[in-house]
Amino acid sequence: METGHDTTRRRGVPVGDVLLSAIAAVSWAFIGMAGVAALGLHLLGADSAGSLGPMTAAVVAVGVGGRVTPSGDVSAFGLDGAQANTAIDVTPLGVSLVGALLLSWFFLRSLRARGVEVAPGELVARAGAVMVLFVAMLGGLVWAGHDLITIDGSKLGLNDIPGAGGLPDDIEDKLPGGIGGLLPDRLGDLADAKASVGFTVQTGATLLGGAAFVIGVLLIALLASRRTPLPRALAPVHRMVRPAASALVAVLLVTVLAGLAAAAYAMIGDDHPKRIAGAALLGAPNGTWLGVPLGLFVPWDGNASGELVKLLPDPLDDLLRVTSDRPVTLGRLAELDNRVWLLAIATALMMLFAGVLTAVRTPRAPGQGAAGFAGRCALRLGVVTALALPLLVWLTDISANASLSVLGFDAFDAGIDLHGNLGMALLLGAAWGAGAGAAGALLACASGT
């Protein structure tokens, strides 16, 4: 007589259910990303300069790992008739996170309906169907994500803004994650600017980036979901990896909610609440997840040159202009403002919370002492954090460069680059994860949880 478990393993792949679940997951993911991107661009006022549809398609493509190539003729900063080539590598993680959450939720929901165990072939079939359909729909965005925007600075109303020489201090200070430092502080200089800027989504890089995005999202979702069935061969993953992975993912999502709450509070009584809301929708995870490795003492390398230096908040502009060879660390920032140390306290508490969650979700063997249990939790959370922290650093890299030339002569060169040290992120992630795992396990044992 066959057991129910054997029956589960011998069932064939339900092709119809696989296709329907993949269509639902991918469709809702694109609907969510497009909605967030369109709303964010509208709140920022981007649709006043061009068509919202192509811009939304381009932002969604960039959010899933795609590439957009902008170019055009720009008359600004006193350079008339210059040919401009720009390269911007900043992923709108707000769009990415919404797509990842919806995609993973529908994918995991389809697996939970299969019982306590899923066959390896069915797992591969479901993941493959989601990836193929996602890349196919992304191809439609590649076709739609190109446009030509003509901007006339005299019609943008920049001279009507109080203090047109820059954004008001109350707005710049309240934008989450230092986003205000990436906005022009010399709007008056652009009042006479005229620009014809085109942008095109790169086909090959975008499709490859989309495939990598799906693989990464589904892998993280499977590792972090404690109630989703896995094949029998992956049973050790459920016991050893999922408690720590789910705990770390949970606290990282809480940091994003905290960033959104801070943005909502900043909107109260502000003269430009739409700007704050739009920036938060598109970039709240960028700011909060940049603060996590910085608060854990991961060093960053940064440099700024040309006119783009003026886009940085004071005194970071002078710091990078003069001493760009020195890394940007929490200590150096604290020399400018002692309140930066609060970031270290917040991230340390975040890691301790992750350690407690890991301990609570990790089964304790009968008769196992507190020291042995703490060591096991420390090892697991240390490994997971060592892998997750470099990923956060890579996701929150900032690169914006502009090169304008006239008749082959380099007339203008500017850029902003901020990149974290991946090696130090791995080592510090292992150290912080091990310490937090051990401390969380001891607290859990002491409280009898």
Side-chain angles (χ1 to χ4, degrees):
M1 182 177 68
E2 292 182 348
T3 63
H5 179 73
D6 292 336
T7 302
T8 300
R9 291 192 64 192
R10 294 181 182 180
R11 284 186 300 183
V13 177
V15 178
D17 183 64
V18 168
L19 293 178
L20 288 177
S21 61
I23 292 173
V26 174
S27 299
W28 278 108
F30 274 98
I31 290 173
M33 289 188 294
V36 170
L39 182 58
L41 291 171
H42 172 70
L43 292 174
L44 290 173
D47 53 347
S48 63
S51 178
L52 185 60
M55 284 190 288
T56 299
V59 170
V60 172
V62 174
V64 298
R67 293 283 182 177
V68 174
T69 303
S71 62
D73 295 322
V74 180
S75 173
F77 302 109
L79 298 176
D80 296 329
Q83 184 71 22
N85 292 313
T86 61
I88 301 175
D89 187 10
V90 181
T91 303
L93 293 180
V95 176
S96 309
L97 181 60
V98 169
L101 291 176
L102 290 172
L103 191 70
S104 60
W105 189 84
F106 281 96
F107 175 74
L108 297 177
R109 185 172 178 269
S110 67
L111 288 177
R112 289 170 186 167
R114 304 302 295 167
V116 296
E117 184 179 331
V118 62
E122 182 176 346
L123 179 62
V124 173
R126 289 183 180 274
V130 170
M131 185 181 68
V132 171
L133 185 58
F134 189 94
V135 173
M137 292 189 68
L138 190 59
L141 290 184
V142 171
W143 173 80
H146 60 87
D147 195 11
L148 184 67
I149 302 174
T150 301
I151 304 173
D152 188 351
S154 61
K155 297 181 180 180
L156 296 179
L158 299 178
N159 288 324
D160 298 332
I161 298 177
L167 290 176
D169 293 335
D170 57 344
I171 296 177
E172 182 172 330
D173 294 339
K174 292 178 181 178
L175 288 176
I179 296 176
L182 299 178
L183 297 177
D185 61 353
R186 296 183 180 274
L187 297 178
D189 292 343
L190 298 180
D192 297 326
K194 292 184 179 180
S196 178
V197 182
F199 61 90
T200 303
V201 178
Q202 299 180 12
T203 303
T206 299
L207 296 182
L208 289 176
F213 174 82
V214 174
I215 294 173
V217 167
L218 297 186
L219 179 61
I220 294 174
L222 287 172
L223 294 177
S225 176
R226 297 182 297 130
R227 296 179 177 87
T228 301
L230 290 174
R232 176 182 295 182
L234 298 180
V237 173
H238 178 75
R239 296 192 306 269
M240 295 185 293
V241 179
R242 279 182 163 178
S246 62
L248 192 59
V249 169
V251 296
L252 290 177
L253 291 178
V254 169
T255 62
V256 177
L257 293 177
L260 293 174
Y265 178 78
M267 292 170 57
I268 301 176
D270 195 272
D271 294 334
H272 301 83
K274 291 185 177 181
R275 295 183 185 178
I276 300 176
L281 280 176
L282 297 178
N286 294 74
T288 56
W289 289 349
L290 176 63
V292 170
L294 188 60
L296 297 179
F297 302 102
V298 174
W300 293 72
D301 296 320
N303 61 78
S305 61
E307 291 289 336
L308 291 182
V309 175
K310 300 175 182 178
L311 307 184
L312 296 172
D314 183 70
L316 184 58
D317 51 353
D318 296 330
L319 182 66
L320 292 181
R321 183 190 294 116
V322 178
T323 59
S324 60
D325 56 332
R326 295 178 58 190
V328 177
T329 62
L330 195 67
R332 292 187 66 196
L333 292 177
E335 294 175 359
L336 309 176
D337 190 344
N338 289 330
R339 292 175 296 179
V340 173
W341 289 118
L342 294 175
L343 178 61
I345 298 175
T347 50
L349 291 175
M350 180 202 77
M351 289 303 304
L352 180 60
F353 183 44
V356 172
L357 281 180
T358 300
V360 170
R361 297 172 177 179
T362 300
R364 185 178 178 183
Q368 186 179 35
F373 181 64
R376 187 168 61 168
C377 293
L379 176 62
R380 295 175 180 180
L381 186 58
V383 172
V384 171
T385 311
L387 298 176
L389 199 59
L391 178 61
L392 287 183
V393 170
W394 176 70
L395 288 175
T396 54
D397 274 358
I398 297 175
S399 178
N401 299 281
S403 179
L404 287 83
S405 59
V406 180
L407 299 178
F409 294 94
D410 189 16
F412 180 67
D413 191 11
I416 298 176
D417 290 285
L418 190 61
H419 306 287
N421 190 313
L422 296 179
M424 288 299 299
L426 189 148
L427 296 177
L428 289 171
W432 277 99
L442 295 176
L443 285 175
C445 291
S447 63
T449 306

